[in-house]
């Protein structure tokens, strides 16, 4: 039973760590300075999304501890169920 609980905590911790890494690097609620100085054109509005984030935050180089936690948790869940 303890293996299943430890596996569930590791998987959930890995997901939370990935979320922390994705959102913790930049400030999402600050409007860009260049956009706030000029009026909105063509009905566009200001957004709180970061400019040019891309998919680099999903890379394995930054998220390998989370992937290792989730893999270890998955292994504990599989072996705990048997």
């Amino acid at each position: 039973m303890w293996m299943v609980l430890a596996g569930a905590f590791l998987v959930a911790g890995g997901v939370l760590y990935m979320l922390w890494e994705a959102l913790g690097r930049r400030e999402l609620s600050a409007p860009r300075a260049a956009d706030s100085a000029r009026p909105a054109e063509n009905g566009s509005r200001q957004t709180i999304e970061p400019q040019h984030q891309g998919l680099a935050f999903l890379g394995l180089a930054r998220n390998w501890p989370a992937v290792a936690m989730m893999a270890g948790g998955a292994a504990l869940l599989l072996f705990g169920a048997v």
Side-chain angles (χ1 to χ4, degrees):
M1 181 68 181
W2 67 270
M3 288 177 66
V4 173
L5 288 174
F9 281 125
L10 281 174
V11 169
V15 170
L16 289 175
Y17 186 80
M18 283 184 122
L19 180 71
W20 181 268
E21 280 294 317
L23 295 178
R25 295 287 181 185
R26 54 178 68 225
E27 194 172 319
L28 295 178
S29 61
R32 296 184 288 267
D35 289 342
S36 63
R38 63 186 160 145
E41 300 172 2
N42 299 332
S44 64
R45 58 189 175 128
Q46 291 182 353
T47 174
I48 61 172
E49 295 174 1
Q51 185 177 12
H52 303 295
Q53 169 129 1
L55 293 176
F57 67 94
L58 293 175
L60 189 60
R62 286 178 57 185
N63 293 318
W64 70 265
V67 172
M69 286 174 64
M70 288 189 292
L76 284 177
L77 283 170
L78 286 175
F79 290 126
V82 174

